Amino acid sequence: MNDAEMVDYLAHCLVDLNSKRPSIDALIHAFIDHVHVDHMHPDAIIALCTSKDGPKLMKQIYGDTAAWLPWLRPGFRARETVRRAHQRRSTPAGRPPGKHGLINLGGDRA
């Protein structure tokens, strides 16, 4: 299934047919094996994520507690990039996708 097919599929998963289509970002929450997957868009993080020097500024501010991710269109590829980044580095608590916000992961599932 590709991202476009997944967007269409999400529309078929609605219980309330009058509600809005779920975000493709829901895949990040659904397919990453953690108890908590928080995806936020705080103004301060957006300012950093959209900055020309975003990766450098994030490193200066957060050191190794945050891992910069390049912007990717939400969907399967973005979900896989977040998952792999977490597997490579267990220290970072946050992963700010470029130009998009912040993803925090916590509590491995048993």
Side-chain angles (χ1 to χ4, degrees), residues 18 40 59 74 76 85 88 90 98-100 102-103 107:
N18 294 318
M40 302 167 284
K59 182 74 170 172
F76 287 120
R88 283 193 310 271
S90 60
K99 299 181 176 35
H100 192 71
L102 178 67
I103 298 170

Side-chain angles (χ1 to χ4, degrees), residues 55-67:
K56 179 181 172 184
L57 292 169
M58 290 296 291
K59 182 74 170 172
Q60 287 176 346
I61 295 168
Y62 297 105
D64 291 331
T65 63

Side-chain angles (χ1 to χ4, degrees), residues 41-101:
H41 301 94
D43 292 344
I45 295 296
I46 294 297
L48 290 172
C49 290
T50 58
S51 170
K52 175 182 151 190
D53 296 322
K56 179 181 172 184
L57 292 169
M58 290 296 291
K59 182 74 170 172
Q60 287 176 346
I61 295 168
Y62 297 105
D64 291 331
T65 63
W68 180 270
L69 299 176
W71 182 87
L72 291 169
R73 180 178 178 202
F76 287 120
R77 186 169 170 216
R79 181 265 317 176
E80 189 60 22
T81 300
V82 171
R83 187 185 67 76
R84 278 184 297 197
H86 181 72
Q87 285 179 334
R88 283 193 310 271
R89 300 176 64 182
S90 60
T91 302
R95 280 142 194 92
K99 299 181 176 35
H100 192 71

